[in-house]
Amino acid sequence: MEEKKKAVIIGGGIAGVQAATTIENMSVKLIIDEPYLPYYRMRIEEILSGKEPEMLYMHPQSWYEEKGIEIINGHAEAINTDEKLVILSDGREISYDKLLLATGSTARRFELKGTPCKSVVLRTASDALALKEALKHASDFAVLGGGLLGLEAAYSVATEFHLPVSVIESAPYILPRQLDEESAEILSAKLGEAGVSVYTSAVVKEACCDYLLLEDGRKVPSSLLCFSVGVNPSKELAEEAGIAVGRAIMIDEHLETSYPDIYAAGDAAELNGRTFGLALHAREMGTAAAKSMMGEDITYVPSEPTALLKVGGIDVVSLGSIEGEKQVESDGDKRKTLFIKDGIIAGAVLLNDKASMMKVKAMIGKKA
């Protein structure tokens, strides 16, 4: 019997797991640089509410065994492209015929002028556990950046730890990539009801040990600071192996890198100058990369952005473009905002109206 070709995937996020479950008639090894099975990263704030990382797993160990997917917990140190080997930091060598780099991204942080307060990031389950421990000794909590994970962390800390919580956002309103200003104001008000103070159009001038001084003179209490200011694609492993990188690992429409038989997907990938940070695209790219690795002639075309969020207890759906003329429907609890360009529905924001998502999604691209 002919030996199966070997598919190796580095990264246990949505893109990596999706690829692993899509690949057929190949042996599959999934290398994860964490001591856990793959988990839902967008739910890690639930660890602050008392859940263990194991409660966030995508699938149990038995599921991977049934699928024939071998989980390898270890850090990929290098790629030997000549001999087609992935070298782990403990010296193990994993051979491959096809390799997928789904290495994700790391949380961005930077130094603040002045006296630094204790600071953390929130990107992994281990980060969430470290934050939970640090909160035991904090008198208040601040989040720098009004992105999704930061807002969820702020809400969880306010409701679970009952500490004064602040969110500092440099834009005029929170979640500017996903929401229009009016929807963001509703969300900010909901966060305020839970005890989260939202500072917008805010830039930190200086850190003063137990508070942050903003450029406009406002002072934000901060004995513990969480950076939520975006991510950096994890491209170092590819770059050191001589694979072409830009902002991230550069791929073509088949998800293949500059090296034959090496592919990239998810947060770590860059296609035509564009990087991706949504679960929707990670799942799509994982599927497309798997098909390319199996020899299928596919051309990946990214879907229009769709973001499903839950912030401050409110379900938020953001579809397509959020620019153009607005058409709003609201009954007090639910709110639907359509964005119209040249008579065409270009996008929508739904608050507490998740049930309408598929219907509204089908309207995008059609006449208003």
Side-chain angles (χ1 to χ4, degrees):
M1 182 182 293
E2 185 179 352
E3 185 179 353
K4 285 185 177 181
K5 287 192 173 181
K6 299 183 285 288
V8 174
I9 300 166
I10 303 176
I14 290 176
V17 173
Q18 183 67 24
T21 57
T22 303
I23 292 172
E24 297 176 349
N25 299 319
M26 300 177 75
S27 70
V28 179
K29 289 185 169 86
L30 185 61
I31 301 172
I32 305 171
D33 192 12
E34 290 189 79
Y36 308 107
L37 291 177
Y39 57 87
Y40 290 107
R41 196 176 302 280
M42 295 308 294
R43 291 176 53 197
I44 59 173
E45 86 285 342
E46 294 177 24
I47 293 173
L48 303 180
S49 304
K51 289 190 175 180
E52 295 297 326
E54 291 78 8
M55 298 172 75
L56 308 184
Y57 282 175
M58 297 181 192
H59 308 286
Q61 177 69 45
S62 58
W63 187 90
Y64 295 98
E65 292 171 357
E66 290 169 6
K67 296 281 185 182
I69 300 168
E70 181 183 349
I71 301 289
I72 300 173
N73 294 98
H75 174 69
E77 187 80 26
I79 302 168
N80 184 327
T81 54
D82 293 330
E83 297 186 30
K84 289 193 168 184
L85 293 172
V86 176
I87 296 95
L88 304 188
S89 57
D90 60 8
R92 284 179 290 174
E93 296 183 347
I94 314 296
S95 64
Y96 67 86
D97 293 299
K98 304 285 184 177
L99 175 64
L100 174 62
L101 304 177
T103 46
S105 54
T106 57
R108 189 179 296 146
R109 66 193 303 169
F110 50 84
E111 292 294 324
L112 294 172
K113 180 183 176 182
T115 306
C117 57
K118 182 175 177 57
S119 64
V120 296
V121 294
L122 188 58
R123 185 68 182 164
T124 67
S126 297
D127 291 336
L129 290 169
L131 173 55
K132 185 178 179 181
E133 182 62 29
L135 284 165
K136 296 177 182 178
H137 312 286
S139 55
D140 43 55
F141 180 61
V143 177
L144 186 56
L148 174 61
L149 266 180
L151 292 177
E152 278 294 280
Y155 181 77
S156 293
V157 171
T159 54
E160 297 291 333
F161 290 80
H162 308 291
L163 292 175
V165 177
S166 304
V167 171
I168 304 166
E169 171 56 57
S170 59
Y173 54 90
I174 58 174
L175 296 175
R177 294 176 61 184
Q178 291 89 6
L179 300 182
D180 60 294
E181 187 168 1
E182 289 82 0
S183 298
E185 287 175 355
I186 292 171
L187 205 56
S188 290
K190 186 69 175 178
L191 289 167
E193 291 173 9
V196 178
S197 300
V198 178
Y199 296 76
T200 54
S201 300
V203 177
V204 177
K205 178 181 180 181
E206 187 176 357
C208 302
C209 191
D210 58 353
Y211 70 90
L212 299 174
L213 178 64
L214 305 184
E215 286 189 348
D216 59 11
R218 289 179 289 177
K219 294 181 179 180
V220 182
S222 176
S223 66
L224 178 62
L225 174 65
C226 179
F227 282 90
S228 183
V229 289
V231 296
N232 294 317
S234 297
K235 61 182 181 179
E236 294 79 13
L237 183 65
E239 189 171 17
E240 289 169 5
I243 298 168
V245 300
R247 289 175 58 202
I249 305 168
M250 299 172 72
I251 56 172
D252 61 18
E253 65 272 18
H254 308 297
L255 283 295
E256 194 165 22
T257 69
S258 59
Y259 267 68
D261 298 327
I262 300 180
Y263 304 77
D267 286 11
E270 176 183 335
L271 176 63
N272 297 325
R274 178 183 175 187
T275 54
F276 304 84
L278 293 176
L280 163 76
H281 294 130
R283 193 168 284 110
E284 287 180 348
M285 296 172 85
T287 299
K291 291 181 176 180
S292 282
M293 292 165 77
M294 291 188 293
E296 294 185 29
D297 185 15
I298 62 98
T299 298
Y300 174 62
V301 179
S303 293
E304 281 295 315
T306 300
L308 284 76
L309 324 171
K310 194 174 186 72
V311 182
I314 296 180
D315 285 311
V316 181
V317 179
S318 179
L319 305 166
S321 171
I322 56 170
E323 296 179 353
E325 180 187 347
K326 295 180 184 179
Q327 187 178 95
V328 180
E329 297 177 21
S330 177
D331 64 2
D333 182 42
K334 297 178 182 178
R335 178 184 171 92
K336 180 190 301 175
T337 305
L338 301 181
F339 298 87
I340 300 165
K341 287 184 180 179
D342 301 322
I344 302 296
I345 298 174
V349 171
L350 311 177
L351 300 183
N352 276 336
D353 194 14
K354 193 175 176 181
S356 298
M357 183 179 75
M358 297 311 295
K359 179 181 177 181
V360 174
K361 194 172 184 178
M363 295 163 59
I364 294 177
K366 297 179 180 178
K367 288 185 179 180

